[in-house]
Amino acid sequence: MSNKQRLSQLNEYRKKTRQGGGAKRIEAQHSKGKLTARERIDLLFDAGTFEEIGTFAIHRCVDFGMAEQQYAGDSVVVGYGRVNNRLCFAFSQDFTVLGGSLSEIASRKICGVMDLAASSGAPFVGILDSGGARIQEGIDSLNGYGEIFTRNTLYSGVIPQISVIVGPTAGGAVYSPAITDFIFMVKGLGQSYITGPDVVEAVTGEKVSLEELGGATVNASKSGNCHFVYENEEECFDGVRSLLGFLPQNHNESPVTSDNYDDINRQEEELIDIIPDNSAQAYDMKKIILKVIDNADFLEVHQKFAGNFIVGFARFAGESVGILAQQPSYMAGVLDIDASDKAARFVRTCDCFNVPLVTFVDVPGYMPGTDQEFRGIIRHGAKLLFAYAEATVPKVSVIIRKAYGGAYIAMSSKSLRGDINYAWPMAEIAVMGPEAAVGFVNRQEISEAKDNKETKQRLIDEYRERFTNPYMAAARGYIDDVIAPCDTRYKLIKALQMLKNKDITNPPRKHGNIPL
Ligand code: HXC
């Protein structure tokens, strides 16, 4: 064969690799409303920047007629390119090849590109659309999953890892995404469950559809497995690109600074009107967040899960921050198990990638009741304390209104190494609310009073006047300043700029042991 013939042979081979499982299967993929592995890669990466590797890899299984079912590249496309003009690695499972099932070679391709991402210090995105372990290969496939889980774990906190679930992800295969930092799903396409509806029915008698069991909506709202849910793949990959824009390339770097931001000195006079004068009334904390951040650009994480707590990314003067806040308009912003899990995870995600934390506090306390106690509010609530206390990134907070008891401590307080702690003038900082405190401290006085209703109210008013304000905490140095709401943006930016080079380390140890 001449050199020219070899070249045209290469071109022929390459053309074939791009067809995956063939035209018919691509058509079937499209008819299900799904994009192909390569079309997804095109949506993720900046145009023309993707470089594929492992293009000609094939499996070596001969059982069950597999010798006749070979496709160059096997069931996954892997490689690297640029996202927002920064290096990024990815794999994209190709459902047109044996249902995207994970073969030994597919897992080796995925592991290889994960190793490259970690050693090059760049994020890694996995696009999942697979029938799970390649049944014909048996143990080799299972070993492949284990190799992937190990890398997900070892590279956790080293580089950002993102999973995009746009097809089936079943059984043990769900655990790779579950170990990564963020999971994206598309409604109607992504499915994630440990056992499918048939097994569920056989074992428990429950009848449930695939979508009800493991669709994007339930994973986003009920289980909290999924962080972002989208209507279609285009919006989903836009979301991934946007998220990567808030994160650094790896744990040694800071997120990139944007120079597109609005006036640092912007005064927001309407902020004070968002909070009702009656502190028992609810309001929407998101309105406050949107008014103080750059360009009202907020990427909310876990939006559909634990609505009493808000987490997400924003920027102040172009610098990426993680925002944490109660949502008083949902269950009064109480801290329960799900909110604690959601918040603690987000604090740790930001901390490992050098994203400063900005916390807005309006918390009546931890959720009471046997349901929460029996399910472990102590253990789950402890995660939040642990996460804030161990975090070494800049930590700035504003107490907007309520900050009571243990929940006050949990929310980035001075005692958990909060760097700058502000409060608005309507802040109420105390061990417990006035009603509960008076009922406890003045129990005897109230029961002995002739007009015990009026006495109780008088005592409540006195308690409120004396204790439920920010000045006692400020007098003791637990609050650095009481600020006018309209100055919040400016004050936060100044504090974050002052803390930009903050450098503290935790005591040497193998690793901490967060309550799980
Ligand atoms: C080999 C597979 C496969 C698999 C699908 N295919 N899954 N081949 N191993 N795991 C093949 C199908 O045989 C079919 O080939 C083609 O891919 C497309 O599959 P369809 O069934 O036609 O597609 P669809 O109707 O969309 O259904 C998708 C599906 C279904 C729901 C994922 O394929 C399915 O149930 N697959 C098996 C799922 C499973 O039990 N996997 C093992 C789980 S255990 P042909 O040539 O017929 O068109 C596991 C353990 C992991 O994964 C443990 C990790 C720790």
Side-chain angles (χ1 to χ4, degrees), residues 82-342:
R82 317 283 295 176
V83 174
N84 307 320
N85 201 23
R86 296 193 295 163
L87 180 64
C88 182
F89 291 77
F91 75 80
S92 180
Q93 290 180 318
D94 186 350
F95 195 85
T96 69
V97 175
L98 294 152
S101 54
L102 191 91
S103 60
E104 175 205 17
I105 191 67
S107 66
R108 279 177 45 204
K109 284 177 70 172
I110 292 172
C111 290
V113 86
M114 289 175 88
D115 291 340
L116 280 173
S119 56
S120 317
F124 179 76
V125 179
I127 305 170
L128 295 107
D129 184 2
S130 164
R134 174 85 45 91
I135 293 163
Q136 296 88 336
E137 288 195 16
I139 193 74
D140 283 332
S141 169
L142 293 184
N143 180 67
Y145 272 118
E147 296 281 348
I148 295 170
F149 301 160
T150 297
R151 282 163 179 79
N152 286 136
T153 307
L154 295 180
Y155 303 150
S156 177
V158 177
I159 50 170
Q161 297 182 63
I162 294 173
S163 301
V164 183
I165 300 181
V166 278
T169 313
V174 297
Y175 287 116
S176 169
I179 304 171
T180 62
D181 300 303
F182 298 99
I183 298 181
F184 287 68
M185 290 181 85
V186 173
K187 279 190 200 164
L189 300 187
Q191 288 160 359
S192 190
Y193 45 83
I194 294 284
T195 50
D198 294 347
V199 178
V200 170
E201 191 177 349
V203 176
T204 71
E206 282 175 283
K207 279 189 199 304
V208 64
S209 73
L210 263 181
E211 202 59 25
E212 285 164 350
L213 180 69
T217 305
V218 291
N219 272 294
S221 58
K222 285 203 161 83
S223 63
N225 293 329
C226 161
H227 300 85
F228 298 97
V229 55
Y230 289 92
E231 296 293 328
N232 58 56
E233 298 200 46
E234 286 77 7
E235 286 174 16
C236 179
F237 285 103
D238 272 353
V240 175
R241 291 169 59 85
S242 165
L243 172 64
L244 284 169
F246 284 102
L247 299 172
Q249 291 291 87
N250 57 63
H251 71 112
N252 283 320
E253 295 182 9
S254 295
V256 279
T257 308
S258 161
D259 48 15
N260 168 30
Y261 55 89
D262 44 359
D263 186 7
I264 291 171
N265 298 307
R266 200 178 70 221
Q267 293 273 304
E268 288 291 356
E269 300 295 345
E270 309 95 273
L271 276 172
I272 194 147
D273 299 324
I274 295 173
I275 313 288
D277 285 328
N278 177 354
S279 78
Q281 275 177 8
Y283 62 93
D284 184 1
M285 180 69 89
K286 273 186 214 164
K287 286 188 182 160
I288 294 178
I289 295 170
L290 292 177
K291 283 217 174 287
V292 297
I293 61 178
D294 289 354
N295 309 320
D297 180 13
F298 183 50
L299 180 66
E300 190 170 353
V301 179
H302 253 151
Q303 190 183 23
K304 311 273 181 212
F305 181 65
N308 36 333
F309 208 104
I310 303 166
V311 302
F313 294 100
R315 292 187 182 83
F316 279 105
E319 304 281 354
S320 185
V321 299
I323 303 262
L324 295 106
Q326 270 78 33
Q327 174 55 287
S329 66
Y330 190 98
M331 291 164 58
V334 72
L335 264 181
D336 61 357
I337 288 173
D338 286 348
S340 302
D341 282 0
K342 171 177 172 174

Side-chain angles (χ1 to χ4, degrees), residues 334-337 365-378:
V334 72
L335 264 181
D336 61 357
I337 288 173
Y366 281 99
M367 179 83 169
T370 52
D371 173 65
Q372 291 283 308
E373 295 285 356
F374 295 169
R375 290 201 293 124
I377 180 87
I378 296 175

